């Protein structure tokens, strides 16, 4: 589906999407503040990380209330709804699905009551790789699902299955058993929790308010609510915040492997990851591109939005003039009015339009973030040539994407990735460019100012830092995105390996907003 934040992505054809973002999580503990409003604005700053569903859970000390629905943050919440969500702590989530279908049941935060009367609500950014194993264990314990089919609900269920333990103690038992990428924010009636997997694949940061604390996927969400950045939540760390203050516990030894793709595409340019500003990193990638793939040209242009910082860097390093060549419709976000077949044939023109006077007669360097299937670049090159460009040289601010992600980004299967079956010249011909250059993996890593050993590069080099559950799948092509669904200890239909649990067949239909309340 189209991105809801107005940013252009590779999703020009809803039937053939490109890389989809990870989710965004936010949590706040701030007695005396309007925590639902703070969470709303925090999620608004994280909308780029997921546009399928949004939800907020709040507690006033006596019970936990969750309100969630399919749609964008601004579509799900209005002022009366936020005014009804009163309390001193809250968590929120904006979702793109990587496990479980796009249904109301799979929207987050998930919520579960224990037999002792405690209620747990949880929001998750990332993707577990041992979901099938955990699901079988839950079934053996007699635990039943609540209609959802995502790994987040499974974790919430496991946390709630230990009524003899506090939520914090239960988390210290459950978290070490999870494999994969997870940045969690969760809560009970009185305490806000945050946890990050031992590899720290997905970002999670801690911030300070004048009268409280905030945790969020990106620093931009702290900025929007006026919180100061304290530090990142460390890999393998569990944080708990309540009336007694903040306490930290290690549940696993850290083995940092932060997602390299966050720097290229996912994170906002004003975010800071591992001490490195994302905009500055993208500028440096562009400079590196110019060193590695120089060309004689008249104008450097960037593909909005994530290609622009790298294009500026390319222009600075090469000495070629930077300018605008493509104008984006700022209101191309999610719509429920489908274009006619005639408009669909126009494709990218619904979202981008060339500045003809700027590109006519010019030799162009066009900088974009990634090539996945090549649909976007093919359409852009054709459009620029039709607008009068005499040469189109494509430069990509990431290496070829050749492997699927199992840790929270929904790439296509390996068979669908253009770089998997074609060499550089084949891809150049496929998209119609005069020349094509990708930044090297070493150049991209250098731009992050992080050691190679602290980064997950799997989508570029196929080296998966977290072992994939080959024993839970049938077939030898699991690393190529093909496996078999695991259910009831038997293998069924062929399914993508990212989805190891049964899926619900559902459409948006007439699903309505809903609030779920648990009070002891």
């Amino acid at each position: 589906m189209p991105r809801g934040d107005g940013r252009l992505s590779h999703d020009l054809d809803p039937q053939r999407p490109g890389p989809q973002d990870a989710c965004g999580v936010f949590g706040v503990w701030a007695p005396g503040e309007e925590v639902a409003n703070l969470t709303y604005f925090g999620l608004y700053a994280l909308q780029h990380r997921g546009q399928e569903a949004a939800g907020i859970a709040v507690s006033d000390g006596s019970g936990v209330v969750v309100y969630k629905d399919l749609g964008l943050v601004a579509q799900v919440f209005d002022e009366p709804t936020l005014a009804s969500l009163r309390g001193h702590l809250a968590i929120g989530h904006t979702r793109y699905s990587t496990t479980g279908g796009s249904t109301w049941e799979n929207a987050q935060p998930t919520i579960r009551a224990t037999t002792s009367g405690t209620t747990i609500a949880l929001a998750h950014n990332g993707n577990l790789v041992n979901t099938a194993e955990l699901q079988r264990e839950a079934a053996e314990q007699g635990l039943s699902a609540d209609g959802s089919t995502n790994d987040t609900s499974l974790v919430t269920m496991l946390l709630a299955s230990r009524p003899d333990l506090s939520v914090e103690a239960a988390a210290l038992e459950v978290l070490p058993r999870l494999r994969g990428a997870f940045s969690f924010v969760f809560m009970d009636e009185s305490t806000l929790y945050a946890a990050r997997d031992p590899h720290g694949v997905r970002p999670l940061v801690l911030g300070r308010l004048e009268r409280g604390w905030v945790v969020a996927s990106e620093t931009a969400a702290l900025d929007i609510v006026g919180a100061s950045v304290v530090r990142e939540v460390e890999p393998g760390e569990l944080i708990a915040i309540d009336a007694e203050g903040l306490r930290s516990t290690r549940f696993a030894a850290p083995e940092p492997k932060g997602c390299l793709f966050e720097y290229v595409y996912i994170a906002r340019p004003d975010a800071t990851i591992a001490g490195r500003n994302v905009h500055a990193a993208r500028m440096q990638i562009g400079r590196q591109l110019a060193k590695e793939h120089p060309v004689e040209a008249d104008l450097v242009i960037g593909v909005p939005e994530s290609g622009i910082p790298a294009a500026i860097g390319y222009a600075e390093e090469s000495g070629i003039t930077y300018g605008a060549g493509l104008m984006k419709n700022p209101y191309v976000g999610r719509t429920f009015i489908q274009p006619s077949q005639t408009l669909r044939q126009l494709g990218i023109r619904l979202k981008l339009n060339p500045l003809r006077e700027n590109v006519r007669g010019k030799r162009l360097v066009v900088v974009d973030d990634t090539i996945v299937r090549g649909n976007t670049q093919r359409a852009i090159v054709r459009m620029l040539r039709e607008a009068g460009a005499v040469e189109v040289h494509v430069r990509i601010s990431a290496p070829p994407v050749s492997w699927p992600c199992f840790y929270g980004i929904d790439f296509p299967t390996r068979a669908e990735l253009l770089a998997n079956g074609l060499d550089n010249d084949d891809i150049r011909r496929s998209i119609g460019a005069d020349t094509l250059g990708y930044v090297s993996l070493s150049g991209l890593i250098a731009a992050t100012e992080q050691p190679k050993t602290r980064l997950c590069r799997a989508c570029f080099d196929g080296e998966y830092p977290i072992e994939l559950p080959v024993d839970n799948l049938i077939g030898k092509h699991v690393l190529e995105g093909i496996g078999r669904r695991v259910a009831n200890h038997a293998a069924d239909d062929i399914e993508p390996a990212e989805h190891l649990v049964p899926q619900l067949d559902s459409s948006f239909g007439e699903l309505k907003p809903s609030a779920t309340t648990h009070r002891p």
Side-chain angles (χ1 to χ4, degrees), residues 63-280:
V64 177
V65 176
V66 171
Y67 188 96
K68 61 182 182 178
D69 196 19
L70 298 173
L72 305 174
V73 175
Q75 292 172 324
V76 172
F77 296 99
D78 54 24
E79 288 190 25
T81 301
L82 292 171
S84 70
L85 300 174
R86 312 296 298 178
H88 69 285
L89 76 148
I91 63 171
H93 188 265
T94 181
R95 182 176 193 249
Y96 175 78
S97 55
T98 52
T99 295
S102 182
T103 66
W104 182 87
E105 290 82 0
N106 284 333
Q108 298 180 35
T110 57
I111 189 167
R112 194 89 174 190
T114 70
T115 55
S116 64
T118 300
T119 305
I120 300 170
L122 185 144
H124 176 197
N125 171 208
N127 196 57
L128 301 183
V129 298
N130 65 332
T131 303
E133 173 190 335
L134 295 170
Q135 186 184 46
R136 285 198 296 267
E137 291 180 12
E140 289 169 358
Q141 296 175 34
L143 304 176
S144 59
D146 56 3
S148 60
T149 59
N150 59 29
D151 48 1
T152 310
S153 294
L154 181 57
V155 173
T156 310
M157 181 169 60
L158 292 172
L159 288 172
S161 68
R162 292 160 170 77
D164 53 324
L165 298 177
S166 66
V167 173
E168 192 170 348
L172 291 173
E173 281 196 2
V174 171
L175 293 174
R177 297 171 52 209
L178 308 180
R179 294 202 309 275
F182 59 86
S183 286
F184 291 142
V185 293
F186 55 109
M187 62 183 285
D188 56 23
E189 283 78 5
S190 62
T191 308
L192 172 67
Y193 303 93
R196 198 173 176 202
D197 70 82
H199 297 277
V201 177
R202 298 281 148 234
L204 193 63
V205 291
L206 173 69
R208 192 76 164 97
L209 290 168
E210 184 177 349
R211 295 191 291 178
W213 297 87
V214 178
V215 288
S217 293
E218 295 184 23
T219 55
L222 304 185
D223 297 337
I224 200 172
V225 299
S228 58
V229 177
V230 176
R231 61 176 176 86
E232 293 194 349
V233 177
E234 294 296 323
E237 181 183 23
L238 170 66
I239 287 175
I241 301 167
D242 58 18
E244 302 300 317
L246 181 147
R247 55 190 176 275
S248 169
T249 308
R250 289 280 185 184
F251 64 86
E255 301 177 56
K257 295 288 183 181
C259 173
L260 183 55
F261 202 67
E262 291 272 355
Y263 293 92
V264 175
Y265 178 74
I266 297 177
R268 281 176 45 149
D270 53 344
T272 298
I273 302 175
R276 178 61 159 158
N277 174 260
V278 172
H279 183 271

Side-chain angles (χ1 to χ4, degrees), residues 8-32:
L8 184 74
S9 74
H10 300 286
D11 197 3
L12 300 174
D13 182 352
Q15 303 306 314
R16 299 180 64 82
Q20 301 297 317
D21 294 350
C23 301
V25 298
F26 186 90
V28 55
W29 186 93

Side-chain angles (χ1 to χ4, degrees), residues 269-431:
D270 53 344
T272 298
I273 302 175
R276 178 61 159 158
N277 174 260
V278 172
H279 183 271
R282 290 175 183 168
M283 289 268 290
Q284 181 57 36
I285 294 168
R287 296 187 190 101
Q288 186 65 29
L289 259 175
K291 294 175 183 177
E292 295 179 359
H293 300 284
V295 67
E296 291 187 8
D298 305 307
L299 187 70
V300 179
I301 67 174
V303 177
E305 295 285 344
S306 50
I308 291 176
I312 296 172
Y314 191 102
E316 287 184 357
E317 180 65 30
S318 66
I320 303 171
T321 301
Y322 169 80
L326 295 165
M327 290 300 296
K328 181 193 66 176
N329 178 358
Y331 302 103
V332 297
R334 183 176 177 178
T335 175
F336 295 103
I337 301 174
Q338 295 301 314
S340 67
Q341 178 60 29
T342 300
L343 289 176
R344 278 197 296 270
Q345 289 174 347
L346 293 176
I348 196 172
R349 293 183 187 275
L350 294 175
K351 299 185 178 184
L352 282 180
N353 202 41
L355 286 168
R356 295 177 182 275
E357 294 301 316
N358 284 14
V359 304
R360 184 181 295 122
K362 301 286 180 60
R363 299 170 298 172
L364 302 179
V365 177
V366 182
V367 182
D368 203 355
D369 48 56
T370 48
I371 295 179
V372 180
R373 292 188 177 92
N375 298 339
T376 302
Q377 290 75 21
R378 192 175 298 115
I380 289 173
V381 170
R382 183 187 307 117
M383 184 170 59
L384 290 170
R385 290 197 190 281
E386 290 172 356
V390 295
E391 293 179 10
V392 181
H393 304 275
V394 174
R395 297 295 180 265
I396 304 298
S397 60
V401 175
S402 302
W403 300 83
C405 176
F406 298 95
Y407 308 138
I409 304 174
D410 190 17
F411 279 122
T413 61
R414 193 176 184 213
E416 297 174 280
L417 294 170
L418 193 63
N420 180 49
L422 301 176
D423 62 22
N424 191 77
D425 202 49
D426 289 334
I427 296 172
R428 180 195 62 76
R429 286 195 295 268
S430 173
I431 65 175

Side-chain angles (χ1 to χ4, degrees), residues 4-65:
D5 59 354
R7 291 175 58 196
L8 184 74
S9 74
H10 300 286
D11 197 3
L12 300 174
D13 182 352
Q15 303 306 314
R16 299 180 64 82
Q20 301 297 317
D21 294 350
C23 301
V25 298
F26 186 90
V28 55
W29 186 93
E33 299 285 354
E34 295 179 338
V35 293
N37 289 42
L38 292 174
T39 304
Y40 171 87
F41 287 112
L43 294 180
Y44 202 86
L46 298 171
Q47 184 73 87
H48 61 287
R49 297 186 71 87
Q51 301 90 46
E52 289 188 6
I56 293 175
V58 299
S59 172
D60 59 3
S62 62
V64 177
V65 176

